[in-house]
Amino acid sequence: MSKKIAIIGAGTAGLQLGLHLLQNGITPRLYTDRTPADYAGSRLMNTVAHHHVTVEREDALGCNHWPSSEYGYFGHYYYIGTPEPIHIYGDLVQPSRAVDYRIYQPALLQDYLDLGGEVIYGPIEHDQIEPISDQHDLTVVCTGKGAIGQMFGRDDRYSPFERPQRMLCVGLFKGIAETETRAVTMYFSPGAGELIEIPTWSFNGMCQALVFENHIGGDLEILARTKYDENPRAFLDLMLEKIKAHYPTLYERIDPEEFDLANSPLDVLQGGVTPTVRKSHTQLANGKLAIALGDTHAVVDPVLGQGANMASYAAVILGEEIVENDVFDQRFLEKFDARRHDRVMSATRWTNYMLENLASLNPTLLEFIGGLAQSRSLTDDFTEGFNHPERQWDIFSSPERVRSAVTRSQQALAAE
């Protein structure tokens, strides 16, 4: 049976789904408004790290052009700016890595084309979804812009916020010395913000992505309001001033004369993200079903780096279900939803928990941080848990679970 699958949107979810289907003898039709050549001159799309479980999926899909042994990072440093600052490090079981999406996405789109995938170029509007579905057995929507995303409806069970919880200023920068071990560094300035530093491969080689997660109304929010283009030197001086005040261990590694955007003025992105989960599918007027995938289904703040990894996981799970099933009905959706639910919703709830509790470092979170400071094994487990957000949510879903995790680590230390 020839399965006719439409994929609307060529982000991580759409591309990895398309590659998985092609590997399994199904040729989908991909709808996107960008050719591979359109990406290089565009503004920074995001600052995304792919955890090693995602890199392993890319290996299986044949689209990992950036081996982690060369391009990857090997753990996480953590800096918590409490009155007595805490500095700790945790290892990953396998390296993870980050590649500028203006390089990553066109490479995967070219992989898709090279394998014989079909592409329809041009913008897709809401009123085109149903005519597209008329031509296909299943329509998968991977772009959540405007009315297209709204057609799925908000899932209030997992969407506690009505507005962004952080004002973001993210960019790719040069002039920052690497840490002793190439690693992500997560900095926390209570009451002001968080900063995630990610070693990233871009057009001019390795650079550092800085993701400023600025608390609304706090001292760092100005970073999200100040425009690089209006006065580059003033922007950089302001950023250096704020880094020195809030993230001093990063400031120590910066050469102020060399510090600038890594490639061009297009390397900075500012704004906010409203974390939202939408319904997993919708029934169109013609009776056919459309599935929400990737950001169309669940958008998270980037503070924990879960978004693209959730999308990759769900895409391959959906691909496996499409290969295994010939009928795309409610039962098909039930099986797919059951398989993706725990990973994606755990990542969502864990991220939302951190957004709410990092602002003030509530007692439960402080207890956990204290446990990290005392136990390298707990720090290693926490760091590896970025690959497995369901394990993180197993810890953070209640104060009792946090306390239990810390107690277990203390008992293990005492037994050594």
Side-chain angles (χ1 to χ4, degrees), residues 186-207:
M186 305 186 74
Y187 307 86
F188 305 95
S189 179
E194 301 84 40
L195 171 59
I196 302 91
E197 178 190 0
I198 310 168
T200 300
W201 181 257
S202 188
F203 297 106
N204 289 326
M206 193 63 69
C207 60

Side-chain angles (χ1 to χ4, degrees), residues 173-235:
F173 292 88
K174 61 184 179 180
I176 305 173
E178 279 197 351
T179 50
E180 181 180 355
T181 298
R182 185 187 289 168
V184 161
T185 305
M186 305 186 74
Y187 307 86
F188 305 95
S189 179
E194 301 84 40
L195 171 59
I196 302 91
E197 178 190 0
I198 310 168
T200 300
W201 181 257
S202 188
F203 297 106
N204 289 326
M206 193 63 69
C207 60
Q208 301 300 109
L210 298 181
V211 183
F212 289 89
E213 294 262 346
N214 307 305
H215 295 181
I216 295 170
D219 182 55
L220 290 167
E221 186 181 351
I222 191 173
L223 293 176
R225 310 289 187 188
T226 303
K227 301 302 179 185
Y228 177 91
D229 293 345
E230 293 176 1
N231 189 331
R233 188 66 258 165
F235 176 91

Side-chain angles (χ1 to χ4, degrees), residues 232-253:
R233 188 66 258 165
F235 176 91
L236 294 169
D237 286 344
L238 174 66
M239 185 168 282
L240 287 170
E241 172 194 328
K242 298 303 184 185
I243 291 173
K244 185 176 183 180
H246 293 276
Y247 310 117
T249 56
L250 171 59
Y251 185 80
E252 292 169 1
R253 295 173 27 237

Side-chain angles (χ1 to χ4, degrees), residues 12 31 47 61 73 77 81 89 100 124 139 154 166 184 188 195 205 216 243 259-260 262 274 291 295 300 310 358 408:
T12 297
Y31 294 80
T47 48
L61 292 170
Y73 60 86
Y77 289 98
Y89 173 81
D100 189 331
I124 296 294
T139 300
R154 176 187 172 96
R166 300 290 189 272
V184 161
F188 305 95
L195 171 59
I216 295 170
I243 291 173
F259 184 67
D260 202 347
T274 301
I291 291 181
D295 284 352
V300 292
M310 293 158 46
L358 281 171
R408 285 198 306 272

Side-chain angles (χ1 to χ4, degrees), residues 125-193:
E125 304 297 336
H126 175 256
D127 60 6
Q128 295 173 265
I129 302 296
E130 188 168 327
I132 288 172
S133 76
D134 285 334
Q135 304 171 44
H136 298 89
D137 301 314
L138 182 67
T139 300
V140 183
V141 181
C142 309
T143 178
K145 297 175 182 177
I148 293 179
Q150 293 168 9
M151 65 189 271
F152 291 96
R154 176 187 172 96
D155 190 336
D156 291 329
R157 295 173 299 171
Y158 305 107
S159 304
F161 306 122
E162 299 289 341
R163 59 186 63 84
Q165 298 301 293
R166 300 290 189 272
M167 292 304 299
L168 303 174
C169 176
V170 304
L172 301 179
F173 292 88
K174 61 184 179 180
I176 305 173
E178 279 197 351
T179 50
E180 181 180 355
T181 298
R182 185 187 289 168
V184 161
T185 305
M186 305 186 74
Y187 307 86
F188 305 95
S189 179

